[in-house]
Amino acid sequence: MKNHIKVNGQLRQTNKKWTHLSQRQRERISNWLRIEYTKFVQVNRKRPKKYEHDEILREVMDQIEEHKIWIPYGEVKKYYLSKVSKWFRKIENEWEVQGYHNEDE
């Protein structure tokens, strides 16, 4: 039990990985991350800075906690950072189709 802690009477695994979540939990969290990221980029018309990534992650971690899903912050952050480039390219392609031009890039 060296990798477990007790929180509010529940036993939690401290070394839990992204792959340990059920498929439904992974999809739900992934959708929340993508939605928050897309919302940020569309409102601000730019990529988030480091502290802004943390704000996006904080929003999603609140949703994760509301749904009583246990996953360490570091695992969610690692997954999120692996996806942001793909999501930004997709948004950028949509801008090109719509005729927008991003002057920061």
Side-chain angles (χ1 to χ4, degrees), residues 21-74:
L21 294 173
S22 70
Q23 180 67 30
R24 184 174 176 188
Q25 289 172 328
R26 286 193 304 261
E27 287 173 0
R28 187 176 274 178
I29 294 169
S30 180
N31 284 335
W32 291 333
L33 288 167
R34 185 180 41 77
I35 288 165
E36 287 297 324
Y37 180 80
T38 302
K39 203 184 313 181
F40 177 88
V41 171
Q42 289 177 339
V43 167
N44 297 293
R45 311 293 294 158
K46 66 179 183 84
R47 291 178 188 252
K49 296 191 178 347
K50 184 176 179 173
Y51 70 92
E52 293 167 329
H53 283 297
D54 291 336
E55 290 173 14
I56 292 168
L57 284 163
R58 205 170 308 117
E59 285 290 321
V60 174
M61 287 304 292
D62 289 343
Q63 291 177 328
I64 291 170
E65 288 172 13
E66 282 176 24
H67 284 80
K68 297 185 180 5
I69 301 171
W70 164 244
I71 185 75
Y73 176 83

Side-chain angles (χ1 to χ4, degrees), residues 6-22:
K6 202 162 195 145
V7 178
N8 297 330
Q10 293 181 330
L11 205 56
R12 293 196 175 168
Q13 184 179 355
T14 57
N15 64 342
K16 191 170 185 179
K17 301 287 183 204
W18 178 259
T19 56
H20 295 155
L21 294 173
S22 70

